[in-house]
Amino acid sequence: MNELTTVERKTLEMIVLRFGEEPFGAEALERAFPGRVSGFEAELGLERLRARGIVETRRKAWGETIHALAPGLFADWQGYYLPAVGEPCQLDDAAVEPNYEPKAGFAKLLLFFLADVANVGIGLTQKGTFAKKDAMRLASRIDVAEEALAGLDIAYLHQDKLGKPLAVLYDAALRLGLVRNGASALELDRERVDAWLAKPLPDIEGELRALWWDVYTPTDVWLQHGGAALRRMTPGRWYAVDRVADGLLAAGVPTGGRTEDEAREALSRYWLRPLAAFGFAELGSTSEGLAARMTAPLDVDEEETGWYAQPDFELIVPPTAPFRARWELEACAEYAGGDAVDRYRITKASWERALGSGRDAEALLEVVRSGARYGVPEPVEAALRQWSAAYGALTLEDVTLLRCRNAEDAAYLKSEPSLSECFVAHIGELDFIVRRSMTKTLADALKRQGFSLRAGGPAAEAASSAEDAGEAPARGRAAAPAASAGGIVHSRRNAALFPLDPAPSGTKPLRERLSAAPQAWLRSMRKYHASTVRDLMETAIDARTSVRLVMDGREVELVPKRVTPVGADWIVQGYIDGEEATVASSACGEAQLLVPEQA
């Protein structure tokens, strides 16, 4: 920070306080702080900050230039310019009465969502939203109150069909690439899910926190500042929320038209209550009002990550259990409830469901056994082995059947060597079970040999197989529409969509205007004729710079905005020390045109 010049520090402070992460034009910066910064100063500050990588300049398709803080810097610069919303807002633990409402946490809720996709399935309607029964089941499992997210003002696809808690999780799964919309159901990206499950829990939580701030930071500068203050809080330390709000108000952060009380409440409704609902924050009460602290990442001890297997087939799972192990429990056990600590119960139906999905019985038993800190009770293990051995003794299968109308055709098919590999078995006199992988091969061979296949036979089965594999939309169902870029929550921050300006003009046009002026005006304070002072003022207005002026015996810096004739004389209107001022020509003494090169 010490390397920044005065004009750079001044410009950066104005950007941070007034615009936050929002894009702006140089003229807007000048208008936001009338008299505190000239247009030339604003352009010069932006030019230098851009060279340092602190500010980015982009150009819209129609030529308009916009500026904004480079991504990822806002919270740090807020901490520099607004230290009052940091450490001074901390509270002693003894002064806070926590609201003990244990939450499952965003990471665990996302795991529940993904496990439901894998083990139960989430169907999609013709319009691409969740089937009603699936949405209701998921909402019950997620158990995040809609009221807690009432202040989170967001817009998203299928807003009339999906509750906000479910939409938030669905959006995260899409943005992380863990799921995709299939033709008739939501599909997992198995490779990405496996990689996600293998990450350490603190890494998963850190990624989700970063995603939250990226997706839900709005264009509202007041809420941007509130969010930045929360991000900078030391995890595990309590902070007085009203002190944070008062610090922002005292610094002059725009409230977006809210009263002071409304601004304080907005921080709670938009940020704190939703963050607490998803386990990112905890709330409490003090004599000063609301207190909040950001939750610290779990300190995972590898020796303390196992679960406790009970004789009644229940598994008690601590919060530190690895997600990979939880994933297997989601497949073979029923979730029985919990918050910080979860309970699962293995039933015969849940065990057979896992075996039916293709899991190996011995590998599944090893997951349960290796994760149990004190082993699996013998009767439980014996029952699991018995269920595994009995499973599949009888099998119901869907098969493709080739049916002949007469015995002559059936006899030919049975005796034809080129077709034998296409059949699994010959049933009775007229029917054959077709090997599923050979359906199309058989259909083509029969057509070449002169047989006419009726619709609904092998060709239709091949088409049906394509539908089952998700290669085509099911008959009567339109393909589900793709989600918006990345997810379903609409972002209102779109400055990054415009390309970086490779050669912004900066101060060049203003310097060219000044170069045409008499250089004596720039070198030193001098006494000029009133008409010359008027020309000097008009040049300053044209170059958007300021004038050093002796007025009534004192030296001031005037940012002129307009020169107006008054009879044979004139007046100049502008700003002195940030206040509106009108100066008569007769009051002007020595003058100098200022260029803040060395500021």
Side-chain angles (χ1 to χ4, degrees):
M1 183 66 188
N2 292 333
E3 296 178 358
L4 297 183
T5 64
T6 301
V7 71
E8 290 170 44
R9 286 196 296 270
K10 182 179 178 180
T11 304
L12 182 55
E13 180 181 14
M14 293 175 178
I15 293 171
V16 170
L17 291 180
R18 185 55 58 93
F19 298 103
E21 297 184 88
E22 286 306 286
F24 59 91
E27 294 83 359
L29 179 62
E30 186 181 359
R31 289 194 303 270
F33 297 91
R36 284 189 56 194
V37 60
S38 68
F40 197 109
E41 275 186 301
E43 292 286 5
L44 180 62
L46 290 169
E47 189 173 75
R48 291 178 174 176
L49 292 171
R50 182 167 53 246
R52 294 181 183 274
I54 297 173
V55 164
E56 291 182 341
T57 298
R58 298 178 181 273
R59 182 174 292 275
K60 295 184 177 181
W62 51 92
E64 180 186 353
T65 297
I66 56 173
H67 314 277
L69 283 175
L73 300 183
F74 174 56
D76 290 336
W77 285 117
Q78 187 209 54
Y80 179 83
Y81 286 112
L82 281 77
V85 300
E87 189 174 339
C89 301
Q90 288 184 357
L91 295 164
D92 291 333
D93 289 354
V96 181
E97 183 178 347
N99 299 338
Y100 288 109
E101 297 179 5
K103 300 296 181 182
F106 199 109
K108 194 194 297 184
L109 292 174
L110 184 55
L111 176 75
F112 292 165
F113 177 85
L114 296 172
D116 199 284
V117 176
N119 301 322
V120 184
I122 299 177
L124 296 176
T125 67
Q126 287 184 335
K127 294 183 178 180
T129 189
F130 293 177
K132 186 175 181 179
K133 62 180 178 62
D134 294 332
M136 292 177 63
R137 183 186 68 252
L138 280 166
S140 175
R141 177 75 190 276
I142 291 169
D143 195 27
V144 173
E146 288 277 351
E147 310 87 74
L149 307 189
L152 187 64
D153 182 20
I154 57 174
Y156 53 91
L157 290 177
H158 314 304
Q159 194 156 347
D160 58 333
K161 302 294 183 183
L162 294 180
K164 206 174 288 184
L166 181 54
V168 167
L169 290 171
Y170 179 28
D171 179 83
L174 286 169
R175 290 179 189 274
L176 295 175
L178 303 175
V179 299
R180 56 178 172 264
N181 288 340
S184 59
L186 212 56
E187 299 172 352
L188 286 183
D189 185 316
R190 298 282 179 179
E191 186 174 335
R192 289 192 176 185
V193 169
D194 285 343
W196 186 75
L197 293 171
K199 292 180 180 180
L201 188 53
D203 290 357
I204 291 176
E205 291 184 342
E207 181 180 44
L208 292 175
R209 287 176 190 272
L211 184 67
W212 179 279
W213 296 119
D214 181 57
V215 174
Y216 299 107
T217 295
T219 57
D220 186 315
V221 175
W222 173 257
L223 293 176
Q224 286 182 5
H225 271 279
L230 295 176
R231 292 204 298 278
R232 293 192 301 104
M233 286 182 176
T234 302
R237 289 297 306 270
W238 288 103
Y239 288 75
V241 176
D242 280 355
R243 287 191 208 171
V244 173
D246 290 345
L248 297 176
L249 291 168
V253 173
T255 63
R258 302 176 180 92
T259 66
E260 291 189 358
D261 287 342
E262 289 170 343
R264 294 186 184 94
E265 178 64 14
L267 298 185
S268 173
R269 284 176 52 79
Y270 189 89
W271 285 128
L272 290 173
R273 292 176 193 170
L275 285 168
F278 281 104
F280 288 132
E282 296 176 80
L283 304 181
S285 303
T286 72
S287 58
E288 299 182 41
L290 183 65
R293 66 179 174 186
M294 305 305 291
T295 53
L298 284 173
D299 185 13
V300 179
D301 184 344
E302 293 297 330
E303 297 182 359
E304 299 289 335
T305 57
W307 46 70
Y308 302 87
Q310 306 297 301
D312 61 354
F313 292 82
E314 187 167 272
L315 303 174
I316 300 175
V317 184
T320 54
F323 270 26
R324 166 57 68 187
R326 282 182 178 272
W327 183 258
E328 298 301 324
L329 289 186
E330 287 283 336
C332 70
E334 303 290 350
Y335 184 70
D339 34 58
V341 174
D342 293 302
R343 293 178 293 108
Y344 287 83
R345 186 181 299 277
I346 302 176
T347 65
K348 185 177 181 181
S350 68
W351 191 257
E352 290 182 344
R353 180 188 67 206
L355 296 175
S357 70
R359 282 176 166 79
D360 178 74
E362 194 59 38
L364 204 57
L365 181 58
E366 180 58 27
V367 168
V368 176
R369 193 166 46 209
S370 63
R373 291 195 63 195
Y374 300 109
V376 177
E378 288 186 11
V380 173
E381 183 169 342
L384 298 182
R385 289 189 179 280
Q386 181 182 354
W387 294 344
S388 298
Y391 181 75
L394 300 176
T395 305
L396 286 174
E397 291 187 2
D398 291 328
V399 297
T400 300
L401 190 68
L402 176 65
R403 173 157 288 171
C404 300
R405 180 180 295 173
N406 56 66
E408 182 181 351
D409 288 341
Y412 171 79
L413 296 179
K414 187 175 181 180
S415 63
E416 175 55 41
S418 65
L419 301 178
S420 61
E421 66 175 350
C422 297
F423 301 126
V424 176
H426 182 203
I427 303 175
E429 294 186 3
L430 302 178
D431 299 328
F432 297 81
I433 296 177
V434 180
R435 201 176 303 279
R436 185 176 291 272
S437 62
M438 303 292 289
T439 301
K440 188 176 186 305
T441 301
L442 176 63
D444 292 342
L446 292 175
K447 288 178 181 178
R448 286 195 302 270
Q449 295 181 31
F451 287 95
S452 178
L453 298 177
R454 182 166 61 90
E461 178 66 22
S464 177
S465 297
E467 290 173 2
D468 292 343
E471 297 170 1
R475 286 186 296 275
R477 181 194 301 276
S484 60
I488 63 168
V489 175
H490 300 306
S491 174
R492 296 168 184 166
R493 296 186 298 153
N494 56 13
L497 298 178
F498 301 107
L500 291 171
D501 190 337
S505 58
T507 58
K508 183 179 178 181
L510 304 181
R511 294 180 189 278
E512 290 174 350
R513 294 169 194 169
L514 289 174
S515 67
Q519 295 306 293
W521 293 359
L522 301 165
R523 283 196 290 267
S524 62
M525 295 277 287
R526 292 182 59 181
K527 180 70 175 176
Y528 298 101
H529 186 273
S531 61
T532 303
V533 176
R534 175 175 178 170
D535 291 341
L536 185 150
M537 293 290 181
E538 290 176 339
T539 299
I541 293 170
D542 190 39
R544 296 168 55 204
T545 191
S546 56
V547 174
R548 182 176 290 129
L549 182 69
V550 173
M551 187 180 73
D552 297 329
R554 67 187 183 99
E555 188 176 297
V556 299
E557 184 174 333
L558 169 69
V559 181
K561 293 297 181 182
R562 182 183 300 106
V563 174
T564 305
V566 179
D569 296 318
W570 50 268
I571 59 172
V572 58
Q573 295 167 295
Y575 294 88
I576 296 175
D577 297 330
E579 300 292 334
E580 290 189 23
T582 299
V583 181
S585 56
S586 59
C588 295
E590 294 180 338
Q592 179 186 7
L593 197 58
L594 291 180
V595 181
E597 290 287 357
Q598 305 304 320

